[in-house]
Amino acid sequence: MKNILVMGAAGQIGSELVPAMRKIYGNSNVISSDIRTDVSEVLKEGPFEIVDCLDTKKIKDVITKYNIDTVYNLVALLSAVGEQNPQLSWKINVGGLMNLLELSRELKFALFTPSSIGAFGLSTPHDNTPQDTIQRPNSMYGVTKVSGELLCDYYHQKYGIDTRGVRYPGIISNVTPPGGGTTDYAVDIYYKAIQEKKFTCNLKPGTYLDMMYMPDCIRAGIEIMEANPAKLIHRNAFNVAAMSFEPEMIAAEIKKHIPEFTMDYDIDPIRQAIAESWPNKMDDTVAFEEWGWKHEYNLPKMTEDMLNVLSEKLKK
Ligand code: SER
């Protein structure tokens, strides 16, 4: 049985990954942790610890206390907020990861670190972006993600650490909102569609990006760490895809359920520049070949679920 520590558990992914993993591995085998103290009750249904990713001693104490063999490192500043404070972005995204990699040499745990579509840049082929291709991002977030991929592969090759990761698309979910990302509009649009029947989009029409619904995101994070290591040629990090759309397409899908819904635009130049440097659509066949990755949710199926779940949630 695994003993798992999730760092940054109060964020968008952690707040749903923790309960999902507790169902599989048992409540007391999944330790949630965050720098924040005001976390949801769900995270406290099993062990919860306050951990700062820059506090190596505290991380070591928690890993030792619970006999942790697998760490999910979900701590990160996202892309748009990273451009407001690039130095802090580097410190958290790479500094936090380096602390874990160094601890893994001594304590021998496996490490999952998500990478992102942000690990690509303008010179990357934008359509059917291959697994192995040019990675010259121009956002600090992207710089930290490419650095993270390289560091994780390095620690695997040099020290035999079991590091694995996926390049997540923009993640769409209905429990905890994302904060400071470029793909956040695709979450906000559902809330606004229900609450106000209208939405102002901060990316231009025609801006295609990879997106993924949270159930697929969680399954990818669990399945990659369960994958047979003998079959992994790649490790950090696998392209995983589910759907690709531009703002008009998600708006049209919402209109099928809420006919009076309207959308206009007020472009955020920072987010627009970042979005244009990212792939339109990644090719994830290598993830399928090496560990069987397959998405379940497309845009229509996700939209139906998002609107159902959020309509109930926002009534309360
Ligand atoms: N969703 C992230 C962002 O927009 C990308 O990984 O920053």
Side-chain angles (χ1 to χ4, degrees):
M1 185 52 97
K2 287 191 171 174
N3 286 324
I4 298 170
L5 171 65
V6 180
M7 295 190 44
Q12 185 194 14
I13 296 177
S15 57
E16 296 194 54
L17 181 66
V18 167
M21 290 202 299
R22 281 182 174 155
K23 277 202 189 110
I24 299 171
Y25 304 109
N27 262 13
S28 55
N29 295 75
V30 180
I31 318 312
S32 60
S33 74
D34 204 278
I35 193 170
R36 285 166 27 194
T37 50
D38 61 330
V39 303
S40 73
E41 286 308 307
V42 173
L43 291 186
K44 295 181 174 167
E45 280 166 11
F48 173 76
E49 296 276 349
I50 295 165
V51 179
D52 175 348
C53 72
L54 300 178
D55 184 349
T56 315
K57 187 181 172 310
K58 181 71 191 275
I59 303 171
K60 186 175 176 178
D61 288 349
V62 170
I63 289 176
T64 311
K65 176 176 167 189
Y66 294 98
N67 206 12
I68 295 297
D69 52 48
T70 306
V71 175
Y72 279 74
N73 172 28
L74 305 182
V75 176
L77 293 195
L78 292 186
S79 56
V81 83
E83 289 313 292
Q84 310 299 333
N85 195 341
Q87 292 74 21
L88 184 66
S89 168
W90 176 267
K91 194 170 161 188
I92 304 277
N93 295 10
V94 180
L97 172 61
M98 266 309 281
N99 283 343
L100 283 168
L101 286 167
E102 274 300 285
L103 283 172
S104 72
R105 291 172 56 195
E106 187 188 337
L107 303 173
K108 303 286 177 232
F109 50 83
L111 181 59
F112 172 82
T113 305
S115 186
S116 158
I117 49 174
F120 298 114
L122 275 171
S123 50
T124 304
H126 275 34
D127 294 313
N128 293 319
T129 304
Q131 172 66 38
D132 300 309
T133 186
I134 302 165
Q135 291 184 265
R136 305 285 294 173
N138 51 9
S139 68
M140 180 52 92
Y141 178 71
V143 170
T144 69
K145 286 296 168 190
V146 176
S147 306
E149 290 186 9
L150 293 171
L151 284 167
C152 287
D153 271 353
Y154 183 84
Y155 272 68
H156 172 66
Q157 283 149 17
K158 179 110 179 161
Y159 302 113
I161 308 300
D162 187 1
T163 56
R164 307 183 191 189
V166 294
R167 295 182 184 129
Y168 277 134
I171 303 299
I172 296 169
S173 67
N174 49 49
V175 175
T176 305
T182 299
T183 57
D184 295 7
Y185 93 86
V187 178
D188 298 341
I189 193 170
Y190 288 108
Y191 283 82
K192 290 282 174 8
I194 292 166
Q195 290 170 320
E196 299 173 19
K197 316 276 180 245
K198 60 180 172 37
F199 176 66
T200 300
C201 185
N202 57 17
L203 295 183
K204 285 184 194 167
T207 311
Y208 278 85
L209 288 167
D210 276 296
M211 300 279 181
M212 179 178 280
Y213 197 29
M214 186 60 93
D216 280 335
C217 164
I218 285 169
R219 208 163 40 74
I222 294 171
E223 286 179 8
I224 178 69
M225 294 313 280
E226 289 289 348
N228 178 357
K231 296 221 169 115
L232 299 182
I233 300 161
H234 296 80
R235 279 181 167 265
N236 300 280
F238 287 92
N239 288 0
V240 287
M243 62 189 97
S244 162
F245 57 75
E246 53 94 23
E248 291 293 324
M249 288 166 72
I250 186 170
E253 203 55 47
I254 290 172
K255 258 180 187 283
K256 288 184 190 163
H257 302 266
I258 307 174
E260 63 273 42
F261 177 68
T262 58
M263 181 167 75
D264 60 7
Y265 290 89
D266 182 13
I267 308 309
D268 171 356
I270 293 178
R271 284 183 167 83
Q272 184 63 37
I274 293 173
E276 284 175 15
S277 76
W278 289 356
N280 298 334
K281 188 180 188 310
M282 286 186 290
D283 177 355
D284 62 356
T285 46
V286 170
F288 173 71
E289 285 160 10
E290 294 185 28
W291 50 280
W293 165 250
K294 249 182 142 186
H295 72 273
E296 192 190 320
Y297 284 87
N298 58 16
L299 178 58
K301 192 171 171 191
M302 173 181 76
T303 299
E304 199 181 326
D305 199 59
M306 277 295 280
L307 293 175
N308 282 341
V309 175
L310 279 182
S311 303
E312 281 306 307
K313 181 174 159 176
L314 298 174
K315 259 187 217 158
K316 289 171 192 161

mmCIF file of all heavy atoms in Angstrom, residues 7 13-14 17 71-76 78 93 97 100 111-119 141 144-146 148-149 152 164-169 171 217 221 224-225 235-238 240:
data_model
loop_
_atom_site.group_PDB
_atom_site.id
_atom_site.type_symbol
_atom_site.label_atom_id
_atom_site.label_comp_id
_atom_site.label_asym_id
_atom_site.label_seq_id
_atom_site.Cartn_x
_atom_site.Cartn_y
_atom_site.Cartn_z
ATOM 1 N N MET A 7 1.555 17.757 -1.826
ATOM 2 C CA MET A 7 1.926 19.130 -1.465
ATOM 3 C C MET A 7 1.152 20.106 -2.344
ATOM 4 O O MET A 7 0.933 19.858 -3.513
ATOM 5 C CB MET A 7 3.434 19.317 -1.619
ATOM 6 C CG MET A 7 4.161 18.440 -0.607
ATOM 7 S SD MET A 7 5.915 18.732 -0.455
ATOM 8 C CE MET A 7 6.050 20.487 -0.419
ATOM 9 N N ILE A 13 -6.127 21.333 -8.383
ATOM 10 C CA ILE A 13 -6.006 19.892 -8.626
ATOM 11 C C ILE A 13 -6.007 19.118 -7.305
ATOM 12 O O ILE A 13 -6.720 18.133 -7.146
ATOM 13 C CB ILE A 13 -4.733 19.580 -9.455
ATOM 14 C CG1 ILE A 13 -4.834 20.217 -10.848
ATOM 15 C CG2 ILE A 13 -4.521 18.059 -9.581
ATOM 16 C CD1 ILE A 13 -3.605 20.048 -11.730
ATOM 17 N N GLY A 14 -5.244 19.586 -6.343
ATOM 18 C CA GLY A 14 -5.106 18.855 -5.076
ATOM 19 C C GLY A 14 -6.426 18.638 -4.366
ATOM 20 O O GLY A 14 -6.677 17.569 -3.807
ATOM 21 N N LEU A 17 -7.807 15.731 -6.211
ATOM 22 C CA LEU A 17 -6.936 14.544 -6.270
ATOM 23 C C LEU A 17 -6.873 13.832 -4.909
ATOM 24 O O LEU A 17 -6.885 12.603 -4.840
ATOM 25 C CB LEU A 17 -5.521 14.952 -6.720
ATOM 26 C CG LEU A 17 -4.503 13.815 -6.841
ATOM 27 C CD1 LEU A 17 -4.876 12.842 -7.959
ATOM 28 C CD2 LEU A 17 -3.088 14.371 -7.097
ATOM 29 N N VAL A 71 5.404 11.225 -3.445
ATOM 30 C CA VAL A 71 5.019 12.628 -3.231
ATOM 31 C C VAL A 71 4.424 13.181 -4.521
ATOM 32 O O VAL A 71 4.981 12.995 -5.609
ATOM 33 C CB VAL A 71 6.237 13.489 -2.810
ATOM 34 C CG1 VAL A 71 5.851 14.969 -2.711
ATOM 35 C CG2 VAL A 71 6.801 13.009 -1.473
ATOM 36 N N TYR A 72 3.270 13.819 -4.397
ATOM 37 C CA TYR A 72 2.678 14.589 -5.502
ATOM 38 C C TYR A 72 2.977 16.060 -5.227
ATOM 39 O O TYR A 72 2.456 16.637 -4.279
ATOM 40 C CB TYR A 72 1.156 14.360 -5.575
ATOM 41 C CG TYR A 72 0.762 13.083 -6.276
ATOM 42 C CD1 TYR A 72 0.928 11.846 -5.653
ATOM 43 C CD2 TYR A 72 0.228 13.110 -7.562
ATOM 44 C CE1 TYR A 72 0.575 10.680 -6.300
ATOM 45 C CE2 TYR A 72 -0.131 11.941 -8.221
ATOM 46 C CZ TYR A 72 0.046 10.726 -7.582
ATOM 47 O OH TYR A 72 -0.310 9.567 -8.225
ATOM 48 N N ASN A 73 3.809 16.631 -6.081
ATOM 49 C CA ASN A 73 4.250 18.010 -5.879
ATOM 50 C C ASN A 73 3.384 18.960 -6.710
ATOM 51 O O ASN A 73 3.708 19.278 -7.849
ATOM 52 C CB ASN A 73 5.718 18.131 -6.299
ATOM 53 C CG ASN A 73 6.189 19.564 -6.306
ATOM 54 O OD1 ASN A 73 5.685 20.392 -5.555
ATOM 55 N ND2 ASN A 73 7.154 19.863 -7.172
ATOM 56 N N LEU A 74 2.281 19.433 -6.131
ATOM 57 C CA LEU A 74 1.351 20.277 -6.889
ATOM 58 C C LEU A 74 1.550 21.766 -6.616
ATOM 59 O O LEU A 74 0.733 22.587 -6.997
ATOM 60 C CB LEU A 74 -0.096 19.877 -6.556
ATOM 61 C CG LEU A 74 -0.437 18.398 -6.769
ATOM 62 C CD1 LEU A 74 -1.904 18.148 -6.443
ATOM 63 C CD2 LEU A 74 -0.142 17.965 -8.200
ATOM 64 N N VAL A 75 2.642 22.094 -5.965
ATOM 65 C CA VAL A 75 2.909 23.498 -5.639
ATOM 66 C C VAL A 75 3.375 24.234 -6.896
ATOM 67 O O VAL A 75 4.309 23.789 -7.557
ATOM 68 C CB VAL A 75 4.021 23.599 -4.570
ATOM 69 C CG1 VAL A 75 4.370 25.051 -4.295
ATOM 70 C CG2 VAL A 75 3.604 22.873 -3.301
ATOM 71 N N ALA A 76 2.728 25.338 -7.236
ATOM 72 C CA ALA A 76 3.206 26.155 -8.378
ATOM 73 C C ALA A 76 2.476 27.479 -8.438
ATOM 74 O O ALA A 76 1.302 27.569 -8.083
ATOM 75 C CB ALA A 76 3.001 25.405 -9.687
ATOM 76 N N LEU A 78 0.958 29.826 -11.238
ATOM 77 C CA LEU A 78 0.560 29.627 -12.641
ATOM 78 C C LEU A 78 1.101 30.744 -13.542
ATOM 79 O O LEU A 78 1.785 31.658 -13.093
ATOM 80 C CB LEU A 78 -0.960 29.491 -12.741
ATOM 81 C CG LEU A 78 -1.554 28.219 -12.111
ATOM 82 C CD1 LEU A 78 -3.047 28.129 -12.408
ATOM 83 C CD2 LEU A 78 -0.870 26.954 -12.605
ATOM 84 N N ASN A 93 8.446 27.457 -7.904
ATOM 85 C CA ASN A 93 8.266 26.325 -8.826
ATOM 86 C C ASN A 93 9.528 25.468 -8.934
ATOM 87 O O ASN A 93 9.437 24.244 -8.982
ATOM 88 C CB ASN A 93 7.867 26.831 -10.221
ATOM 89 C CG ASN A 93 6.501 27.524 -10.236
ATOM 90 O OD1 ASN A 93 5.928 27.791 -9.197
ATOM 91 N ND2 ASN A 93 5.994 27.821 -11.413
ATOM 92 N N LEU A 97 10.722 22.337 -5.999
ATOM 93 C CA LEU A 97 11.016 21.046 -6.634
ATOM 94 C C LEU A 97 12.420 20.556 -6.270
ATOM 95 O O LEU A 97 12.615 19.376 -5.957
ATOM 96 C CB LEU A 97 10.875 21.174 -8.166
ATOM 97 C CG LEU A 97 11.318 19.971 -8.984
ATOM 98 C CD1 LEU A 97 10.504 18.735 -8.637
ATOM 99 C CD2 LEU A 97 11.205 20.275 -10.481
ATOM 100 N N LEU A 100 12.554 18.911 -2.964
ATOM 101 C CA LEU A 100 12.014 17.546 -2.982
ATOM 102 C C LEU A 100 12.983 16.581 -3.654
ATOM 103 O O LEU A 100 13.171 15.453 -3.188
ATOM 104 C CB LEU A 100 10.661 17.525 -3.703
ATOM 105 C CG LEU A 100 9.505 18.059 -2.869
ATOM 106 C CD1 LEU A 100 8.275 18.286 -3.736
ATOM 107 C CD2 LEU A 100 9.179 17.103 -1.726
ATOM 108 N N LEU A 111 8.333 10.560 -7.128
ATOM 109 C CA LEU A 111 7.901 11.961 -7.194
ATOM 110 C C LEU A 111 7.131 12.252 -8.475
ATOM 111 O O LEU A 111 7.636 12.047 -9.579
ATOM 112 C CB LEU A 111 9.141 12.864 -7.113
ATOM 113 C CG LEU A 111 8.921 14.379 -7.148
ATOM 114 C CD1 LEU A 111 8.036 14.858 -6.005
ATOM 115 C CD2 LEU A 111 10.266 15.109 -7.114
ATOM 116 N N PHE A 112 5.885 12.728 -8.297
ATOM 117 C CA PHE A 112 5.082 13.196 -9.432
ATOM 118 C C PHE A 112 5.125 14.715 -9.445
ATOM 119 O O PHE A 112 4.766 15.365 -8.456
ATOM 120 C CB PHE A 112 3.627 12.740 -9.277
ATOM 121 C CG PHE A 112 2.689 13.341 -10.307
ATOM 122 C CD1 PHE A 112 2.586 12.797 -11.582
ATOM 123 C CD2 PHE A 112 1.906 14.449 -9.997
ATOM 124 C CE1 PHE A 112 1.716 13.340 -12.532
ATOM 125 C CE2 PHE A 112 1.034 15.001 -10.946
ATOM 126 C CZ PHE A 112 0.942 14.442 -12.201
ATOM 127 N N THR A 113 5.569 15.292 -10.563
ATOM 128 C CA THR A 113 5.550 16.744 -10.718
ATOM 129 C C THR A 113 4.869 17.079 -12.034
ATOM 130 O O THR A 113 5.347 16.676 -13.093
ATOM 131 C CB THR A 113 6.983 17.324 -10.732
ATOM 132 O OG1 THR A 113 7.647 16.897 -9.546
ATOM 133 C CG2 THR A 113 6.967 18.842 -10.772
ATOM 134 N N PRO A 114 3.740 17.778 -11.987
ATOM 135 C CA PRO A 114 3.079 18.101 -13.247
ATOM 136 C C PRO A 114 3.854 19.133 -14.048
ATOM 137 O O PRO A 114 4.324 20.129 -13.492
ATOM 138 C CB PRO A 114 1.729 18.675 -12.818
ATOM 139 C CG PRO A 114 1.792 18.915 -11.364
ATOM 140 C CD PRO A 114 3.043 18.293 -10.820
ATOM 141 N N SER A 115 4.007 18.868 -15.343
ATOM 142 C CA SER A 115 4.425 19.916 -16.254
ATOM 143 C C SER A 115 3.157 20.430 -16.935
ATOM 144 O O SER A 115 2.051 20.203 -16.412
ATOM 145 C CB SER A 115 5.458 19.389 -17.255
ATOM 146 O OG SER A 115 5.949 20.479 -18.031
ATOM 147 N N SER A 116 3.299 21.084 -18.063
ATOM 148 C CA SER A 116 2.160 21.834 -18.601
ATOM 149 C C SER A 116 2.344 22.105 -20.086
ATOM 150 O O SER A 116 3.474 22.071 -20.603
ATOM 151 C CB SER A 116 2.099 23.152 -17.823
ATOM 152 O OG SER A 116 1.409 24.146 -18.528
ATOM 153 N N ILE A 117 1.224 22.459 -20.740
ATOM 154 C CA ILE A 117 1.316 23.007 -22.093
ATOM 155 C C ILE A 117 2.217 24.249 -22.095
ATOM 156 O O ILE A 117 2.748 24.626 -23.127
ATOM 157 C CB ILE A 117 -0.083 23.381 -22.651
ATOM 158 C CG1 ILE A 117 -0.891 24.223 -21.641
ATOM 159 C CG2 ILE A 117 -0.853 22.143 -23.045
ATOM 160 C CD1 ILE A 117 -2.229 24.754 -22.191
ATOM 161 N N GLY A 118 2.385 24.844 -20.916
ATOM 162 C CA GLY A 118 3.251 26.018 -20.778
ATOM 163 C C GLY A 118 4.720 25.715 -20.996
ATOM 164 O O GLY A 118 5.536 26.629 -21.103
ATOM 165 N N ALA A 119 5.077 24.434 -21.064
ATOM 166 C CA ALA A 119 6.484 24.070 -21.297
ATOM 167 C C ALA A 119 6.861 24.220 -22.773
ATOM 168 O O ALA A 119 8.000 23.944 -23.151
ATOM 169 C CB ALA A 119 6.741 22.641 -20.834
ATOM 170 N N TYR A 141 6.719 30.939 -16.145
ATOM 171 C CA TYR A 141 6.060 29.674 -15.811
ATOM 172 C C TYR A 141 6.610 28.555 -16.694
ATOM 173 O O TYR A 141 6.979 27.482 -16.211
ATOM 174 C CB TYR A 141 4.550 29.832 -16.017
ATOM 175 C CG TYR A 141 3.735 28.591 -15.755
ATOM 176 C CD1 TYR A 141 3.556 28.104 -14.467
ATOM 177 C CD2 TYR A 141 3.105 27.919 -16.808
ATOM 178 C CE1 TYR A 141 2.782 26.980 -14.229
ATOM 179 C CE2 TYR A 141 2.325 26.801 -16.576
ATOM 180 C CZ TYR A 141 2.171 26.337 -15.285
ATOM 181 O OH TYR A 141 1.405 25.223 -15.053
ATOM 182 N N THR A 144 10.119 27.598 -15.825
ATOM 183 C CA THR A 144 10.186 26.736 -14.631
ATOM 184 C C THR A 144 9.715 25.315 -14.949
ATOM 185 O O THR A 144 10.216 24.348 -14.380
ATOM 186 C CB THR A 144 9.350 27.290 -13.443
ATOM 187 O OG1 THR A 144 7.951 27.204 -13.729
ATOM 188 C CG2 THR A 144 9.726 28.713 -13.104
ATOM 189 N N LYS A 145 8.748 25.192 -15.868
ATOM 190 C CA LYS A 145 8.232 23.852 -16.187
ATOM 191 C C LYS A 145 9.257 23.042 -16.996
ATOM 192 O O LYS A 145 9.439 21.851 -16.752
ATOM 193 C CB LYS A 145 6.887 23.944 -16.911
ATOM 194 C CG LYS A 145 5.738 24.339 -15.995
ATOM 195 C CD LYS A 145 5.496 23.279 -14.920
ATOM 196 C CE LYS A 145 4.575 23.703 -13.811
ATOM 197 N NZ LYS A 145 4.544 22.776 -12.682
ATOM 198 N N VAL A 146 9.916 23.683 -17.967
ATOM 199 C CA VAL A 146 10.959 22.969 -18.721
ATOM 200 C C VAL A 146 12.106 22.602 -17.780
ATOM 201 O O VAL A 146 12.617 21.475 -17.802
ATOM 202 C CB VAL A 146 11.492 23.814 -19.899
ATOM 203 C CG1 VAL A 146 12.640 23.082 -20.593
ATOM 204 C CG2 VAL A 146 10.390 24.088 -20.899
ATOM 205 N N GLY A 148 11.919 22.073 -14.649
ATOM 206 C CA GLY A 148 11.435 20.983 -13.799
ATOM 207 C C GLY A 148 11.496 19.645 -14.517
ATOM 208 O O GLY A 148 11.924 18.636 -13.948
ATOM 209 N N GLU A 149 11.080 19.631 -15.793
ATOM 210 C CA GLU A 149 11.143 18.376 -16.563
ATOM 211 C C GLU A 149 12.588 17.869 -16.623
ATOM 212 O O GLU A 149 12.863 16.683 -16.410
ATOM 213 C CB GLU A 149 10.635 18.597 -17.998
ATOM 214 C CG GLU A 149 9.141 18.852 -18.104
ATOM 215 C CD GLU A 149 8.670 18.912 -19.553
ATOM 216 O OE1 GLU A 149 9.453 18.597 -20.481
ATOM 217 O OE2 GLU A 149 7.498 19.289 -19.771
ATOM 218 N N CYS A 152 13.898 16.645 -13.191
ATOM 219 C CA CYS A 152 13.318 15.348 -12.803
ATOM 220 C C CYS A 152 13.958 14.226 -13.617
ATOM 221 O O CYS A 152 14.284 13.164 -13.066
ATOM 222 C CB CYS A 152 11.804 15.366 -12.984
ATOM 223 S SG CYS A 152 10.969 16.367 -11.729
ATOM 224 N N ARG A 164 8.220 11.074 -12.268
ATOM 225 C CA ARG A 164 7.304 10.970 -13.411
ATOM 226 C C ARG A 164 6.455 12.234 -13.497
ATOM 227 O O ARG A 164 6.202 12.877 -12.470
ATOM 228 C CB ARG A 164 6.359 9.769 -13.251
ATOM 229 C CG ARG A 164 7.085 8.463 -12.973
ATOM 230 C CD ARG A 164 6.134 7.288 -12.892
ATOM 231 N NE ARG A 164 6.838 6.113 -12.371
ATOM 232 C CZ ARG A 164 6.334 4.886 -12.347
ATOM 233 N NH1 ARG A 164 5.113 4.666 -12.807
ATOM 234 N NH2 ARG A 164 7.036 3.883 -11.863
ATOM 235 N N GLY A 165 5.984 12.534 -14.702
ATOM 236 C CA GLY A 165 5.140 13.723 -14.837
ATOM 237 C C GLY A 165 4.352 13.722 -16.128
ATOM 238 O O GLY A 165 4.631 12.942 -17.046
ATOM 239 N N VAL A 166 3.341 14.572 -16.169
ATOM 240 C CA VAL A 166 2.558 14.766 -17.396
ATOM 241 C C VAL A 166 2.519 16.256 -17.711
ATOM 242 O O VAL A 166 2.646 17.084 -16.812
ATOM 243 C CB VAL A 166 1.107 14.235 -17.247
ATOM 244 C CG1 VAL A 166 1.100 12.724 -17.084
ATOM 245 C CG2 VAL A 166 0.366 14.912 -16.100
ATOM 246 N N ARG A 167 2.330 16.559 -18.999
ATOM 247 C CA ARG A 167 2.134 17.966 -19.387
ATOM 248 C C ARG A 167 0.636 18.212 -19.455
ATOM 249 O O ARG A 167 -0.024 17.840 -20.427
ATOM 250 C CB ARG A 167 2.775 18.241 -20.755
ATOM 251 C CG ARG A 167 4.279 18.089 -20.727
ATOM 252 C CD ARG A 167 4.895 18.418 -22.087
ATOM 253 N NE ARG A 167 6.327 18.172 -22.043
ATOM 254 C CZ ARG A 167 6.992 17.443 -22.934
ATOM 255 N NH1 ARG A 167 6.364 16.903 -23.971
ATOM 256 N NH2 ARG A 167 8.293 17.266 -22.816
ATOM 257 N N TYR A 168 0.111 18.802 -18.368
ATOM 258 C CA TYR A 168 -1.332 19.019 -18.310
ATOM 259 C C TYR A 168 -1.766 20.151 -19.237
ATOM 260 O O TYR A 168 -1.103 21.180 -19.322
ATOM 261 C CB TYR A 168 -1.747 19.412 -16.886
ATOM 262 C CG TYR A 168 -1.955 18.252 -15.937
ATOM 263 C CD1 TYR A 168 -1.411 18.286 -14.657
ATOM 264 C CD2 TYR A 168 -2.746 17.155 -16.289
ATOM 265 C CE1 TYR A 168 -1.622 17.242 -13.761
ATOM 266 C CE2 TYR A 168 -2.962 16.112 -15.399
ATOM 267 C CZ TYR A 168 -2.400 16.159 -14.145
ATOM 268 O OH TYR A 168 -2.613 15.134 -13.270
ATOM 269 N N PRO A 169 -2.926 19.975 -19.871
ATOM 270 C CA PRO A 169 -3.595 21.090 -20.548
ATOM 271 C C PRO A 169 -4.197 22.033 -19.503
ATOM 272 O O PRO A 169 -4.029 21.810 -18.293
ATOM 273 C CB PRO A 169 -4.712 20.386 -21.331
ATOM 274 C CG PRO A 169 -4.385 18.930 -21.320
ATOM 275 C CD PRO A 169 -3.592 18.703 -20.061
ATOM 276 N N ILE A 171 -6.855 23.005 -17.007
ATOM 277 C CA ILE A 171 -7.747 22.091 -16.289
ATOM 278 C C ILE A 171 -9.048 22.800 -15.922
ATOM 279 O O ILE A 171 -9.036 23.880 -15.316
ATOM 280 C CB ILE A 171 -7.061 21.540 -15.014
ATOM 281 C CG1 ILE A 171 -5.735 20.841 -15.371
ATOM 282 C CG2 ILE A 171 -7.998 20.589 -14.270
ATOM 283 C CD1 ILE A 171 -5.857 19.644 -16.300
ATOM 284 N N CYS A 217 -7.935 14.598 -15.542
ATOM 285 C CA CYS A 217 -6.693 15.117 -14.942
ATOM 286 C C CYS A 217 -6.260 14.242 -13.763
ATOM 287 O O CYS A 217 -5.092 13.856 -13.634
ATOM 288 C CB CYS A 217 -6.952 16.558 -14.490
ATOM 289 S SG CYS A 217 -5.758 17.241 -13.347
ATOM 290 N N GLY A 221 -2.958 11.634 -13.365
ATOM 291 C CA GLY A 221 -1.990 11.739 -12.260
ATOM 292 C C GLY A 221 -1.824 10.431 -11.503
ATOM 293 O O GLY A 221 -0.724 10.092 -11.059
ATOM 294 N N ILE A 224 -0.262 7.471 -14.182
ATOM 295 C CA ILE A 224 1.172 7.565 -14.516
ATOM 296 C C ILE A 224 2.022 7.026 -13.353
ATOM 297 O O ILE A 224 3.038 6.365 -13.568
ATOM 298 C CB ILE A 224 1.590 9.006 -14.908
ATOM 299 C CG1 ILE A 224 3.076 9.117 -15.214
ATOM 300 C CG2 ILE A 224 1.270 10.026 -13.857
ATOM 301 C CD1 ILE A 224 3.525 8.451 -16.449
ATOM 302 N N MET A 225 1.563 7.254 -12.110
ATOM 303 C CA MET A 225 2.349 6.763 -10.975
ATOM 304 C C MET A 225 2.138 5.264 -10.741
ATOM 305 O O MET A 225 2.935 4.616 -10.072
ATOM 306 C CB MET A 225 2.014 7.554 -9.700
ATOM 307 C CG MET A 225 2.433 9.012 -9.745
ATOM 308 S SD MET A 225 4.125 9.293 -10.342
ATOM 309 C CE MET A 225 5.098 8.921 -8.893
ATOM 310 N N ARG A 235 9.700 9.976 -19.195
ATOM 311 C CA ARG A 235 9.258 10.146 -17.806
ATOM 312 C C ARG A 235 8.736 11.563 -17.567
ATOM 313 O O ARG A 235 7.604 11.756 -17.159
ATOM 314 C CB ARG A 235 10.413 9.838 -16.835
ATOM 315 C CG ARG A 235 10.555 8.331 -16.643
ATOM 316 C CD ARG A 235 11.646 7.986 -15.691
ATOM 317 N NE ARG A 235 11.514 6.590 -15.336
ATOM 318 C CZ ARG A 235 10.878 6.142 -14.256
ATOM 319 N NH1 ARG A 235 10.343 6.977 -13.400
ATOM 320 N NH2 ARG A 235 10.794 4.842 -14.025
ATOM 321 N N ASN A 236 9.570 12.541 -17.833
ATOM 322 C CA ASN A 236 9.188 13.924 -17.535
ATOM 323 C C ASN A 236 9.298 14.779 -18.792
ATOM 324 O O ASN A 236 10.383 15.145 -19.170
ATOM 325 C CB ASN A 236 10.088 14.479 -16.439
ATOM 326 C CG ASN A 236 9.976 13.660 -15.164
ATOM 327 O OD1 ASN A 236 9.044 13.821 -14.418
ATOM 328 N ND2 ASN A 236 10.940 12.764 -14.946
ATOM 329 N N ALA A 237 8.197 15.042 -19.320
ATOM 330 C CA ALA A 237 6.838 14.709 -18.892
ATOM 331 C C ALA A 237 6.035 14.346 -20.140
ATOM 332 O O ALA A 237 6.373 14.783 -21.234
ATOM 333 C CB ALA A 237 6.218 15.909 -18.197
ATOM 334 N N PHE A 238 4.981 13.556 -19.949
ATOM 335 C CA PHE A 238 4.177 13.063 -21.078
ATOM 336 C C PHE A 238 3.114 14.080 -21.505
ATOM 337 O O PHE A 238 2.366 14.595 -20.657
ATOM 338 C CB PHE A 238 3.434 11.795 -20.667
ATOM 339 C CG PHE A 238 4.305 10.580 -20.549
ATOM 340 C CD1 PHE A 238 4.882 10.235 -19.338
ATOM 341 C CD2 PHE A 238 4.541 9.766 -21.647
ATOM 342 C CE1 PHE A 238 5.674 9.096 -19.216
ATOM 343 C CE2 PHE A 238 5.331 8.630 -21.538
ATOM 344 C CZ PHE A 238 5.899 8.294 -20.326
ATOM 345 N N VAL A 240 -0.408 14.860 -22.347
ATOM 346 C CA VAL A 240 -1.724 14.224 -22.181
ATOM 347 C C VAL A 240 -2.778 15.208 -22.688
ATOM 348 O O VAL A 240 -2.778 16.365 -22.296
ATOM 349 C CB VAL A 240 -2.036 13.806 -20.713
ATOM 350 C CG1 VAL A 240 -1.220 12.587 -20.306
ATOM 351 C CG2 VAL A 240 -1.811 14.944 -19.720
#
